[in-house]
Amino acid sequence: MFYNKRQILNNLNLKINKQEVIGMLGPNGVGKSTIFNLIIGLIKPDFGNILINQNNVTNLPISFRSSKHRIGYCPQYSGYFHDLTLMDNLVAVGEILINDEKTRVSKINQIISEFELDSVINVKAKHLSGGQKKRLAIALSLLGEPKILLLDEPFAALDIISINTLQQIIVNLQTKSRITIIICDHQARDLLSCVDVALVLSNSKIISYGTPTELINDKDAKSAYFGDTLSLIHI
């Protein structure tokens, strides 16, 4: 994969299992966002194919991938209407994705309850806290009941309590909703605390792949990204 004659990804071969939470780590410009864009269909690979449930989706448009293969995407920034209340955001997106009114109302109320957003339903999105904005963005991406959810830097600029809440939401989405989740973030410790497996990208390639414990002990991952200071702390 090239951008302006610069190679971003080189012969990438990545398999993600159903109901798996996988994390992607690596320096800026290494290709993490490019992988997301390839999955959702924003760009096409220079060669090779993208398969979802053994179906070749390489040439399918974004809308078809979203509806047919149930791909949800939560961007790093925004993802909601700033001047609408939290409830109005959910209703606006819900009306696009869920035709039946009774089902739509039920789904919105369920998400508000699960994400503990009851107290801010009438607050404009631009006035929400950082953690509340992130929960709203993820909630909106779930209205279409995706089977695959892409989270772009969900932990960025959040406080410890918000990070812990978001980590629990991710775990619940995997265990209760059986969603496959792909997370890209620079907060390595926060990411590794809630994924099954993770990978480190460097020089256009995957240089390390494994469980969080395997990754932080991998010499290539340490050399390219972690250094010698990262450890996982479980309390």
Side-chain angles (χ1 to χ4, degrees), residues 183-213:
I183 307 173
C184 164
D185 208 292
H186 286 294
Q187 308 298 322
R189 184 175 286 106
D190 298 324
L191 180 148
L192 292 174
S193 295
C194 65
V195 301
D196 299 310
V197 292
L199 60 89
V200 174
L201 288 161
S202 182
N203 296 322
S204 308
K205 298 180 179 180
I206 297 174
I207 62 164
S208 183
Y209 175 93
T211 66
T213 300

Side-chain angles (χ1 to χ4, degrees), residues 108-124:
I108 289 174
N109 288 335
Q110 174 193 344
I111 285 179
I112 289 173
S113 176
E114 289 180 353
F115 281 51
E116 299 181 357
L117 294 168
D118 309 69
S119 62
V120 291
I121 58 173
N122 295 316
V123 177
K124 286 189 175 182

Side-chain angles (χ1 to χ4, degrees), residues 158-176:
L158 295 185
D159 59 73
I160 294 175
I161 293 177
S162 296
I163 288 172
N164 290 338
T165 299
L166 187 52
Q167 287 172 330
Q168 189 57 55
I169 287 173
I170 291 170
V171 171
N172 289 341
L173 288 174
Q174 178 195 29
T175 56
K176 295 180 181 179

Side-chain angles (χ1 to χ4, degrees), residues 46-215:
D46 296 326
F47 63 90
N49 296 303
I50 300 169
L51 305 179
I52 299 178
N53 293 327
Q54 300 181 339
N55 297 300
N56 190 337
V57 303
T58 309
N59 296 312
L60 296 181
I62 295 174
S63 58
F64 195 84
R65 295 191 199 194
S66 175
S67 59
K68 174 71 174 179
H69 296 285
R70 311 275 285 281
I71 297 177
Y73 173 56
C74 181
Q76 177 182 358
Y77 301 109
S78 191
Y80 46 80
F81 300 103
H82 291 251
D83 283 319
L84 293 183
T85 67
L86 184 143
M87 176 61 83
D88 287 343
N89 264 279
L90 291 168
V91 170
V93 175
E95 287 179 344
I96 297 172
L97 298 175
I98 307 172
N99 293 325
D100 182 73
E101 182 179 0
K102 185 177 180 180
T103 303
R104 181 169 63 246
V105 171
S106 176
K107 181 66 176 179
I108 289 174
N109 288 335
Q110 174 193 344
I111 285 179
I112 289 173
S113 176
E114 289 180 353
F115 281 51
E116 299 181 357
L117 294 168
D118 309 69
S119 62
V120 291
I121 58 173
N122 295 316
V123 177
K124 286 189 175 182
K126 62 184 179 183
H127 297 313
L128 297 172
S129 69
Q132 290 166 344
K133 288 177 180 177
K134 186 60 65 175
R135 278 183 280 161
L136 170 59
I138 295 176
L140 291 171
S141 69
L142 292 173
L143 283 173
E145 297 191 339
K147 292 298 182 183
I148 301 170
L149 179 62
L150 282 60
L151 300 177
D152 191 358
E153 302 214 21
F155 303 116
L158 295 185
D159 59 73
I160 294 175
I161 293 177
S162 296
I163 288 172
N164 290 338
T165 299
L166 187 52
Q167 287 172 330
Q168 189 57 55
I169 287 173
I170 291 170
V171 171
N172 289 341
L173 288 174
Q174 178 195 29
T175 56
K176 295 180 181 179
S177 302
R178 300 183 178 182
I179 298 177
T180 302
I181 303 173
I182 309 171
I183 307 173
C184 164
D185 208 292
H186 286 294
Q187 308 298 322
R189 184 175 286 106
D190 298 324
L191 180 148
L192 292 174
S193 295
C194 65
V195 301
D196 299 310
V197 292
L199 60 89
V200 174
L201 288 161
S202 182
N203 296 322
S204 308
K205 298 180 179 180
I206 297 174
I207 62 164
S208 183
Y209 175 93
T211 66
T213 300
E214 291 170 340
L215 217 61

